[in-house]
Amino acid sequence: MAIRPIAQIGDPVLRRPVRELSKEELASPEMQTFIDELIATMRHANGAGLSAIQVHELVRICAIEVKDNPRYPYKPNVPLTVLVNPRLEPIGEEQFDNYEGCLSVPNLRGVVRRHARIRVRAWDRHGNEIDEDIQGVTAGTYQHEVDHLDGRIFVDLVEDPHTFCTWDEFKRHHEAEFADRVRRLVQRYGS
């Protein structure tokens, strides 16, 4: 399985519009191979998610998976989920501060306000309907990946630039507190 190069911040592809897929195009062997490569690239990079645009494909697809991820030891596990043509809607007004990083922005983290509950409507990789309520820190991961499909990177959404830090400084100064916050979200929402 091919591992694709991941676009880095500054690459214009990350700001380009993506297009939705038809069910016929989604079912094609080429698109199914691409989805396999997207998943393999995400896993190879130890990402919690990866959007097609990050690997230079301008289609509305992203993959999400957290399975004892060494980059995010405090995140709850999320089964492999492929979202095709996803649309997100906030449920309620509650938000939380999410310390985010990104495979397209290596060695940088920052705090982004995310909705604590969202409704996800999409297709899976086989064109089956997905309509789910996603909560807690997992909702933050979904929002992060779908933002990519809309040409946004987490650094665009950081309200307080003082929260930017390298991964090493995050681990040294912020990870323990953030991990406690994530545990509270998981206790409250189960994810």
Side-chain angles (χ1 to χ4, degrees):
M1 191 59 47
I3 303 299
R4 291 177 166 235
I6 297 173
Q8 301 298 291
I9 191 168
D11 186 328
V13 74
L14 294 171
R15 305 306 189 158
R16 303 225 359 236
V18 299
R19 65 180 176 78
E20 292 194 347
L21 285 90
S22 67
K23 288 196 177 183
E24 294 77 23
E25 185 179 11
L26 176 61
S28 73
E30 296 82 14
M31 193 56 64
Q32 290 299 310
T33 296
F34 166 69
I35 292 171
D36 289 339
E37 291 175 353
L38 181 70
I39 293 165
T41 302
M42 174 185 66
R43 289 174 173 166
H44 180 262
N46 288 322
L50 190 64
S51 293
I53 196 169
Q54 291 178 271
V55 292
H56 302 90
E57 292 290 335
L58 300 177
V59 292
R60 198 166 178 82
I61 298 177
C62 61
I64 296 167
E65 181 181 50
V66 179
K67 187 175 179 186
D68 302 322
N69 190 310
R71 284 184 75 200
Y72 304 103
Y74 43 81
K75 279 192 173 194
N77 286 341
V78 178
L80 176 62
T81 305
V82 174
L83 301 175
V84 179
N85 301 335
R87 298 284 177 225
L88 307 181
E89 297 172 29
I91 299 173
E93 301 296 319
E94 186 179 359
Q95 296 185 326
F96 69 99
D97 288 337
N98 197 29
Y99 239 117
E100 297 190 12
C102 181
L103 296 174
S104 291
V105 187
N107 203 32
L108 188 64
R109 303 211 58 174
V111 174
V112 177
R113 298 279 302 156
R114 294 294 189 186
H115 292 280
R117 290 184 61 209
I118 57 170
R119 180 179 182 186
V120 178
R121 285 187 275 192
W123 297 332
D124 69 12
R125 71 178 297 168
H126 304 293
N128 299 311
E129 297 287 332
I130 295 172
D131 189 344
E132 295 181 2
D133 179 347
I134 305 295
Q135 306 176 60
V137 71
T138 301
T141 302
Y142 276 63
Q143 291 165 79
H144 177 106
E145 294 309 324
V146 172
D147 277 346
H148 278 297
L149 300 176
D150 294 327
R152 288 188 300 268
I153 303 172
F154 86 93
V155 297
D156 302 337
L157 304 172
V158 171
E159 294 174 7
D160 181 358
H162 292 101
T163 66
F164 282 121
C165 61
T166 66
W167 277 82
D168 288 342
E169 296 307 313
F170 170 76
K171 286 185 174 296
R172 183 177 303 147
H173 300 290
H174 307 286
E175 185 174 45
E177 178 186 340
F178 183 63
D180 285 341
R181 191 177 325 148
V182 168
R183 278 190 281 282
R184 288 191 301 275
L185 279 168
V186 170
Q187 286 173 349
R188 182 171 183 182
Y189 292 108
S191 62

